[in-house]
Amino acid sequence: MYMAGSSLLHIALFGILLCRMQVICQTSPPTLTDVRKDLLDLDSYVDNKLRAIDTKIQQTACYNQGHTIVTFLARLVTPDYGTIAAKATLKFEKTTENVGNGYDNKTGIFTAPIKGLYHFTASARQSRSGYLHLGLYRNDEEMAVSVGVNYNSLTIGATFTLQSGDHVLVKNIWTQSSGIVGAGQSYFSGHLVHVI
């Protein structure tokens, strides 16, 4: 007999069987053979239902194991209120999440662990009057750009495909240094949308 979670179901179905037997008893008393047959039928029914549930659980577990989770979130801590050099890659050094270990907080570069469709977002705040031009790059290819002006924030977001080993980073695309706020107020985030 299949045992996983069967106790409560057996008790509930046994109660139904007793109610059925009370109806039968009002018309004619059941024989011991009838009761045994009803109990065996009930036991077989419960076992089949529990096996079907277990099969669905196993199928779901196999399905979920087939999907890889890749996600990261990193925040810029330094400078608090400072500058980033011309054409420099931002190193978001405080990693809050890094499932799949794709993000390297020492370089500021995300490396795709598997081929797939990914979504990335970055947000930063300008720390002084002037401009902050940031670009989101796949390897050496500029994928998206945003500009923050005079103490305001900017946000970049894009969805694109990556091969295993491709790099994604955020950098100052301007030819001169730009003001930027760290202190955890600027971030870089990404996740795998779908394996290809």
Side-chain angles (χ1 to χ4, degrees), residues 48-63:
N48 289 336
K49 289 295 181 185
L50 289 173
R51 285 183 207 286
I53 290 168
D54 188 53
T55 299
K56 288 286 185 190
I57 290 170
Q58 288 176 6
Q59 288 171 346
T60 302
C62 290
Y63 176 78

Side-chain angles (χ1 to χ4, degrees), residues 18-138:
L18 284 177
C19 290
R20 181 175 165 214
M21 288 176 66
Q22 285 178 343
V23 171
I24 294 171
C25 288
Q26 291 174 1
T27 56
S28 64
T31 66
L32 189 53
T33 304
D34 291 338
V35 172
R36 279 190 187 135
K37 182 183 179 313
D38 284 347
L39 286 174
L40 288 173
D41 289 347
L42 179 61
D43 189 52
S44 176
Y45 174 80
V46 170
D47 280 347
N48 289 336
K49 289 295 181 185
L50 289 173
R51 285 183 207 286
I53 290 168
D54 188 53
T55 299
K56 288 286 185 190
I57 290 170
Q58 288 176 6
Q59 288 171 346
T60 302
C62 290
Y63 176 78
N64 289 338
Q65 288 173 1
H67 292 281
T68 303
I69 298 172
V70 178
T71 186
F72 76 94
L73 171 62
R75 296 184 174 279
L76 187 67
V77 177
T78 55
D80 281 349
Y81 289 85
T83 60
I84 182 166
K87 302 293 184 177
T89 298
L90 276 79
K91 296 175 186 171
F92 298 85
E93 65 266 40
K94 183 177 181 188
T95 306
T96 305
E97 199 70 55
N98 197 11
V99 178
N101 296 314
Y103 182 73
D104 182 346
N105 63 356
K106 291 174 184 56
T107 63
I109 296 172
F110 171 80
T111 303
I114 59 173
K115 180 180 177 181
L117 180 67
Y118 290 81
H119 179 77
F120 297 93
T121 304
S123 181
R125 198 172 116 212
Q126 215 316 352
S127 66
R128 61 184 184 202
S129 66
Y131 294 93
L132 173 62
H133 294 83
L134 294 183
L136 182 63
Y137 282 77
R138 173 177 61 194

